Amino acid sequence: MKKTVLKRLSLTAAMAVGLGVASSASAQETVSAVTDPSFVPFEMMDKETGEMVGFDMDILREIADRAGFELDLRTMDFNGIIPAVQTGNADLAIAGITITDEREKIVDFSDPYYDSGLRILVPANNDSVDEIGDLEGMSIGTKIGSTSYDFLQENLGDSADIKPYPGSADMYMALMGGSVDAVFYDAPNVGYFAQTQGQGRAKVVGPLYEGQQYGIAFTSGSKWLEPANEALAAMKEDGTYDEIYKKWFGEAPSKDGASQ
């Protein structure tokens, strides 16, 4: 009789342990993420579904799936992105965030996932601008809190009227409306605008300034940093990264890692 009772107890315990493991495996932790909805084609709001879509969104969702966490995604202006992660109001941020020494002092960055730089955008009928020095004496739109704003301050300072805007749509509207003479911002974003809403009305000119890399910003010491890096490495290895890249930019990045 005792043996039978013991066997039943052992079986019950084993089932409980098994169910506990299964429950733990299926219960994924929710990670709070923030993004800037105006940085097309990296992140933008689908007007029909109300869902955030874009290159960054596809990258982040794939990483979350592989790393084993759920996403609670919120949107905010870019200048609030890093402070939100720094203060712990968000676990991570993705918004075409350039990895810089200053930012690395307050947040932890993932391995780089996109190579970029800064470019000049002017009206299509402007043939007087070929490089950054030609912008002296002009009004230039850029985004608040961006590396492009810092670059303009360092290289032009008081010799130009630098106008920071909260969103990229605002600065492009200012350019099309004649409120600014040029826009200086991240290369993929100005290129996308020139090929879409600005086609025939605006053009990208000059070289690529400041080779930059984008990373996902995590709170300092985040336990999700390493799983995210492992997922990103696996995506590049198995071709998933190239598939997402082609979806949004038309061709895969070159073998040396630079964007095309």
Side-chain angles (χ1 to χ4, degrees):
M1 182 68 177
K2 290 182 179 179
K3 289 184 178 180
T4 304
V5 171
L6 287 173
K7 284 182 179 179
R8 287 176 179 171
L9 287 172
S10 298
L11 180 59
T12 302
M15 290 175 65
V17 170
L19 288 171
V21 170
S23 176
S24 298
S26 61
Q28 292 185 324
E29 192 169 334
T30 298
V31 172
S32 171
V34 289
T35 190
D36 170 11
S38 68
F39 190 54
V40 297
F42 288 80
E43 36 266 322
M44 50 194 169
M45 184 73 72
D46 185 314
K47 294 180 180 179
E48 293 185 1
T49 65
E51 181 183 14
M52 289 299 299
V53 297
F55 177 76
D56 277 357
M57 297 296 96
D58 285 353
I59 291 292
L60 181 59
R61 289 181 177 119
E62 183 67 23
I63 287 175
D65 184 59
R66 295 185 184 218
F69 58 82
E70 299 284 347
L71 285 170
D72 176 18
L73 184 66
R74 292 175 289 141
T75 61
M76 62 176 59
D77 288 342
F78 185 80
N79 60 315
I81 291 286
I82 296 295
V85 177
Q86 178 189 7
T87 58
N89 287 324
D91 298 311
L92 68 85
I94 186 169
I97 305 171
T98 300
I99 301 170
T100 67
D101 292 339
E102 286 301 309
R103 288 171 177 169
E104 284 187 308
K105 293 177 182 177
I106 54 178
V107 297
D108 287 343
F109 276 103
S110 69
D111 293 334
Y113 69 89
Y114 188 91
D115 294 325
S116 183
L118 307 173
R119 297 292 296 273
I120 302 169
L121 184 76
V122 295
N125 60 0
N126 186 325
D127 296 321
S128 64
V129 176
D130 293 312
E131 50 95 21
I132 198 74
D134 295 331
L135 296 177
E136 288 189 7
M138 296 186 180
S139 57
I140 312 162
T142 190
K143 184 179 273 190
I144 295 172
S146 66
T147 54
S148 53
Y149 175 79
D150 296 336
F151 185 91
L152 288 172
Q153 290 286 0
E154 291 170 8
N155 289 272
L156 292 177
D158 295 333
S159 63
D161 180 15
I162 303 168
K163 296 184 176 181
Y165 291 89
S168 53
D170 301 317
M171 62 188 182
Y172 293 136
M173 187 179 300
L175 180 70
M176 294 295 92
S179 298
V180 296
D181 302 307
V183 160
F184 187 68
Y185 193 48
D186 292 46
N189 192 250
V190 297
Y192 185 83
F193 177 82
Q195 295 172 14
T196 54
Q197 297 100 315
Q199 188 170 27
R201 300 190 296 157
K203 62 183 179 182
V204 179
V205 298
L208 184 71
Y209 292 94
E210 281 207 331
Q212 301 176 336
Q213 292 181 308
Y214 296 162
I216 303 170
F218 288 84
T219 52
S220 295
S222 172
K223 68 178 181 179
W224 297 112
L225 178 62
E226 192 55 37
N229 281 337
E230 291 173 358
L232 184 58
M235 290 163 59
K236 291 182 176 180
E237 181 67 26
D238 64 23
T240 303
Y241 178 89
D242 283 354
E243 290 177 7
I244 296 173
Y245 195 103
K246 288 177 184 177
K247 173 183 174 181
W248 294 101
F249 302 109
E251 55 185 327
S254 60
K255 295 302 181 183
D256 64 4
S259 57
Q260 307 245 349

